[in-house]
Amino acid sequence: MAFEEKVKIRSYDGRTDRGRVEDLERRCEVGPAQSVLLFTDTMGDPICRIRNSPLFKMLVAELNNELVGVIQGSIKMVTLATPTRDPAVVGYVLGLRVSPFHRRKGIGSSLVRRLEEWFLSNHVHFAYMATEKDNEASVKLFTEKLGFVKFRTPSILVNPVHYHSLRISRGVEIAKLKMEEAEYLYRRFMGSTDFFPHDIDRILKNKLSLGTWVAYPRGESWSELRCDGRLPTSWAMMSVWNSGDLFKLRVAKAPLSCHIYSKSSRLIDRIFPCLSIPALPDVFHPFGFYFMYGLHGEGPRSGALVRSLCRFVHNMATECKDCKVIVTEVGGCDGLRPEIPHWKLLSCPEDLWCIKALRKEDENTLLGLTKIPTRGLFVDPREV
């Protein structure tokens, strides 16, 4: 307790804290020599990952004028898989970092609790966070010390961008939707999905959202939607978010063999695309990525149509010099998961979401949430 009294937790001040937060981020990426690390370049804006959320906050922890910890949080209204399907206000916890020299001293717990106080002051019902399933330290902190419970295990699927375009079936039509059409379809078909954001219109209007596309069998008409609400016998849709305009990623500490394979495979892919050699893009320098969100399909051919949309997004990405990979996150039991192309080497088959009721009256609701198996999950691109 005496130690915690020396720690000062306050709101982030971009004028004085930006450089110190970036330095802390770099120091927190240090790990075992045999590990492959993923570095994040926020391009001078440490708060970039939550800046597009409806309400957000960053807290920092100081000890003897040294910045030793940081945490971020955002608030929004979503749908949860409760019997009544009532909207809930949720707070997302992310970006928890504690200096390697000051860990196991209660700083991380103090930051989370202070963020929860901010959540409560803004009438949040549930707090949730995401971490790697194998991140033992993070899982223990949140589930054993902070009262969170394991909630969902979605899959993060990552696919590299090649030099050449991929062929799309001639039997498929792909059309870009107007924002109003996309919002209508999302609210109609995904409005009851876990974590569907009630401000989906703001997401679709955001400058980072490149658009929403729908795929359907050639020969059928999509324009009927505007007339009487009818849809093709099979169709699929997805939206694309340009995360590379927010921050960059870089892989470090990869073995020499990975560097050699990356260069050689890209060269072969460029000169002999017909060989279809799996090429590893240059991920050892800062790169951007596209995030596919809002994946949904209806009808017997929806799986094939999702595959066509993924190829379409890949071809879009080939025209962006900065985009090296395409990422999406879907529920672990989502029926569309097998249709999304990805590299197992780059993907995470089981991410872990944990959740906590912040008010006593919501504890029974939380108990029901954790027992209800759900297939669908809407991952907000603003929280990637």
Side-chain angles (χ1 to χ4, degrees):
M1 182 62 67
F3 174 81
E4 291 185 0
E5 289 175 353
K6 298 179 183 178
V7 177
K8 178 182 178 182
I9 297 178
R10 59 171 175 78
S11 296
Y12 166 78
D13 186 339
R15 296 170 299 175
T16 59
D17 296 332
R18 185 177 65 181
R20 296 197 297 167
V21 169
E22 291 179 336
D23 178 64
L24 177 63
E25 288 277 355
R26 285 190 292 268
R27 287 186 282 123
C28 286
E29 298 289 357
V30 177
Q34 68 272 21
S35 298
V36 175
L37 300 178
L38 187 65
F39 286 82
T40 301
D41 180 1
T42 60
M43 300 188 292
D45 183 14
I47 212 165
C48 63
R49 290 183 62 193
I50 54 173
R51 187 173 294 283
N52 290 282
S53 298
L55 191 61
F56 58 87
K57 192 177 190 67
M58 176 185 272
L59 298 173
V60 299
E62 286 183 318
L63 179 62
N64 298 326
N65 295 321
E66 177 188 358
L67 196 146
V68 296
V70 65
I71 195 170
Q72 299 179 33
S74 62
I75 297 174
K76 63 182 178 182
M77 184 176 290
V78 302
T79 297
L80 290 178
T82 60
T84 59
R85 291 285 181 178
D86 290 333
V89 182
V90 296
Y92 183 45
V93 181
L94 73 160
L96 176 60
R97 301 284 187 271
V98 177
S99 169
F101 304 105
H102 296 284
R103 291 174 181 168
R104 298 180 178 86
K105 297 178 179 179
I107 296 175
S109 300
S110 297
L111 282 166
V112 175
R113 292 191 180 100
R114 184 65 65 84
L115 188 64
E116 288 178 353
E117 292 176 6
W118 178 69
F119 285 160
L120 282 168
S121 69
N122 285 279
H123 313 292
V124 168
H125 301 100
F126 304 98
Y128 72 106
M129 53 79 68
T131 187
E132 294 179 7
K133 188 177 181 181
D134 297 331
N135 189 337
E136 187 176 339
S138 180
V139 174
K140 282 187 174 181
L141 171 64
F142 281 91
T143 60
E144 296 182 10
K145 294 184 178 180
L146 295 169
F148 284 71
V149 294
K150 296 178 181 180
F151 180 56
R152 299 285 184 258
T153 53
S155 300
I156 300 175
L157 307 177
V158 182
N159 206 42
V161 176
H162 306 299
Y163 285 111
H164 55 88
S165 297
L166 302 178
R167 188 180 67 85
I168 298 175
S169 171
R170 293 182 179 179
V172 175
E173 291 275 8
I174 295 179
K176 187 173 184 179
L177 296 177
K178 292 183 179 179
M179 196 283 294
E180 296 79 8
E181 291 177 316
E183 180 186 355
Y184 166 76
L185 289 173
Y186 277 133
R187 293 194 186 278
R188 176 179 172 183
F189 291 97
M190 298 193 77
S192 60
T193 302
D194 255 351
F195 280 82
F196 179 80
H198 280 229
D199 63 340
I200 183 65
D201 54 322
R202 291 185 58 180
I203 298 175
L204 297 172
K205 292 175 183 177
N206 192 291
K207 63 180 181 181
L208 296 172
S209 196
L210 301 181
T212 303
W213 286 266
V214 64
Y216 55 96
R218 187 176 295 275
E220 298 193 39
S221 173
W222 186 261
S223 60
E224 293 176 352
L225 171 67
R226 303 187 184 92
C227 302
D228 54 14
R230 288 187 297 159
L231 297 169
T233 55
S234 292
W235 59 276
M237 67 183 295
M238 69 170 58
S239 301
V240 183
W241 185 271
N242 185 9
S243 298
D245 273 1
L246 276 182
F247 59 92
K248 311 294 183 188
L249 299 174
R250 177 175 64 86
V251 173
K253 289 194 176 182
L256 179 61
S257 58
C258 286
H259 289 268
I260 295 175
Y261 177 77
S262 176
K263 287 187 177 182
S264 58
S265 63
R266 293 200 312 274
L267 180 62
I268 296 174
D269 184 45
R270 175 180 287 180
I271 300 176
F272 303 108
C274 58
L275 297 179
S276 299
I277 300 293
L280 180 64
D282 181 10
V283 294
F284 309 110
H285 295 88
F287 65 91
F289 65 98
Y290 284 172
F291 184 77
M292 299 187 301
Y293 69 98
L295 279 70
H296 183 76
E298 296 280 339
R301 296 181 58 186
S302 59
L305 295 172
V306 166
R307 290 197 299 272
S308 293
L309 281 173
C310 290
R311 287 176 167 245
F312 176 81
V313 175
H314 172 276
N315 295 345
M316 280 178 52
T318 61
E319 300 177 4
C320 177
K321 183 178 179 181
D322 182 57
C323 184
K324 302 299 182 185
V325 298
I326 299 169
V327 182
T328 191
E329 187 168 9
V330 295
C333 298
D334 195 313
L336 295 177
R337 184 185 183 281
E339 313 298 339
I340 302 169
H342 61 280
W343 274 25
K344 290 184 179 180
L345 177 67
L346 303 175
S347 302
C348 174
E350 284 192 328
D351 197 24
L352 176 63
W353 286 23
C354 298
I355 193 168
K356 175 182 180 179
L358 295 183
R359 305 184 306 178
K360 193 168 185 63
E361 57 264 35
D362 292 317
E363 290 179 356
N364 288 335
T365 301
L366 175 61
L367 183 62
L369 275 173
T370 57
K371 291 183 176 180
I372 298 175
T374 59
R375 297 181 62 186
L377 184 68
F378 195 100
V379 180
D380 194 326
R382 297 172 297 189
E383 297 173 352
V384 175

